[in-house]
Amino acid sequence: MKTISCRFLDSQDENGTITIKPLGKAKNGVSKPMLPGWKDIVTEIVIDKEYTDGLDGIEDYSHVIIVYWMDKEKECHLKHHPQGRADVPFIGIFACRCPQRPNPIGISTTEIISVKDNIIKVKGLDVIDNTPILDIKPYTPQYDSALNAKVPEWVDKLDY
Amino acid sequence: MKTISCRFLDSQDENGTITIKPLGKAKNGVSKPMLPGWKDIVTEIVIDKEYTDGLDGIEDYSHVIIVYWMDKEKECHLKHHPQGRADVPFIGIFACRCPQRPNPIGISTTEIISVKDNIIKVKGLDVIDNTPILDIKPYTPQYDSALNAKVPEWVDKLDY
């Protein structure tokens, strides 16, 4: 069976520490995070040219999950009020999607607008300009979507 | 507004290389990847005790997204037949969910069974024993689910 291999961007040392290099960057000219306001923002995900062929076939999906590194986040919270909102409970960082995490990895599901060469154009992605991109995954409801998922009521008060 | 801070597990150098430490490990006694067969597997996500309070409130959700590092994956593919299946197209690694990626980060949506101290028990998570855990995010349909998502037809031939 045909396989074309590529170069790993990672390694892991004997203490379990992982080293990662981004695949590329997000380009959208947005200089600061905002809440809300991302819905109509168009972002170009520009990946290193050596990975261009890795995008073959992605145009047959409507959505992708972008995995990124929130490199401008300088706070790490164990517990807080999500989005700094006094009207929602004081909860753990793993019970919300806020960026102030021990490992500031973000994952966002976003609509594909176009794919050309080493660039995927997406709409509604909530990242600022130059955010490092770690991975691109096709959104696959069979795998990603949970039916009848339950969330706490305060989640509906937040901005997305 | 009240905030309890914690320690970052990451850093990024001037060349953009990111260093990450896992939050914890998956424990389920499964020694090898399998396809299919994960549906009824129960896994304990055991995080470092210093992050225990970060789980407060996660019990109010039904599902979590586990972000993990596929440290046992030793191949990196640019293009292949997903799941080594001759009956599906030869496509790019970013157009499938296979683990042979430049940055082998996995994300799986999984059902919460229980939360106690520094351990979340989940069902159906497709990772092997001792997989390093990078992040835990509450599954939030408002943010994670795409309505009317389109995927290529061959996706239905795969095992999950």
Side-chain angles (χ1 to χ4, degrees), chain B residues 95-113:
Chain B
C96 68
R97 298 296 284 268
C98 295
Q100 301 87 2
R101 321 180 76 78
N103 281 320
I105 295 173
I107 61 175
S108 300
T109 298
T110 180
E111 188 187 348
I112 299 175
I113 304 291

Side-chain angles (χ1 to χ4, degrees), chain A residues 1-6 53, chain B residues 73-86 89-93 96 98 100-101:
Chain A
M1 197 121 33
K2 199 157 91 171
T3 298
I4 299 174
S5 290
C6 64
D53 289 348
Chain B
E73 181 54 57
K74 299 302 174 204
E75 293 188 31
C76 182
H77 297 169
L78 187 62
K79 293 188 74 169
H80 72 181
H81 291 275
Q83 297 184 358
R85 294 267 298 254
F90 180 69
I91 50 104
I93 192 69
C96 68
C98 295
Q100 301 87 2
R101 321 180 76 78

Side-chain angles (χ1 to χ4, degrees), chain A residues 1-12 15-23 47 50-65 67-71 73-81 84-87 90-109 126 132-152 154-156 160, chain B residues 1-12 15-23 47 50-65 67-71 73-81 84-87 90-109 126 132-152 154-156 160:
Chain A
M1 197 121 33
K2 199 157 91 171
T3 298
I4 299 174
S5 290
C6 64
R7 190 171 55 90
F8 272 120
L9 288 168
D10 78 290
S11 66
Q12 191 173 22
N15 299 316
T17 301
I18 297 160
T19 305
I20 301 186
K21 286 202 173 112
L23 289 174
I47 65 167
E50 68 174 301
Y51 295 104
T52 301
D53 289 348
L55 297 176
D56 285 359
I58 207 166
E59 67 281 1
D60 293 331
Y61 294 83
S62 59
H63 292 74
V64 279
I65 301 174
V67 182
Y68 51 95
W69 187 254
M70 297 179 280
D71 64 334
E73 181 54 58
K74 299 302 175 205
E75 293 189 29
C76 182
H77 298 169
L78 186 62
K79 293 188 73 168
H80 72 182
H81 291 275
R85 294 267 299 255
D87 60 338
F90 179 67
I91 50 106
I93 192 68
F94 304 124
C96 68
R97 298 296 283 267
C98 295
Q100 302 87 3
R101 322 180 76 79
N103 281 320
I105 294 172
I107 61 175
S108 299
T109 298
D126 53 343
I133 304 300
L134 304 183
D135 198 8
I136 298 164
K137 297 180 188 289
Y139 176 74
T140 309
Q142 293 93 323
Y143 187 79
D144 294 305
S145 179
L147 292 176
N148 307 317
K150 195 184 78 153
V151 302
W154 57 261
V155 164
D156 278 328
Y160 295 101
Chain B
M1 195 120 34
K2 199 158 89 170
T3 298
I4 298 174
S5 290
C6 63
R7 189 173 55 90
F8 272 121
L9 289 169
D10 78 292
S11 66
Q12 190 172 23
N15 299 317
T17 300
I18 296 160
T19 305
I20 302 185
K21 286 203 173 112
L23 289 175
I47 65 168
E50 67 175 303
Y51 296 104
T52 300
D53 289 349
L55 297 177
D56 284 0
I58 206 165
E59 67 281 0
D60 293 332
Y61 294 84
S62 59
H63 292 74
V64 279
I65 301 174
V67 182
Y68 52 95
W69 187 254
M70 299 179 279
D71 65 334
E73 181 54 57
K74 299 302 174 204
E75 293 188 31
C76 182
H77 297 169
L78 187 62
K79 293 188 74 169
H80 72 181
H81 291 275
R85 294 267 298 254
D87 60 338
F90 180 69
I91 50 104
I93 192 69
F94 303 124
C96 68
R97 298 296 284 268
C98 295
Q100 301 87 2
R101 321 180 76 78
N103 281 320
I105 295 173
I107 61 175
S108 300
T109 298
D126 52 343
I133 303 301
L134 304 183
D135 198 6
I136 297 164
K137 297 180 187 290
Y139 176 74
T140 309
Q142 294 91 324
Y143 186 79
D144 294 304
S145 179
L147 292 176
N148 307 316
K150 196 185 75 155
V151 302
W154 58 261
V155 165
D156 278 328
Y160 294 102

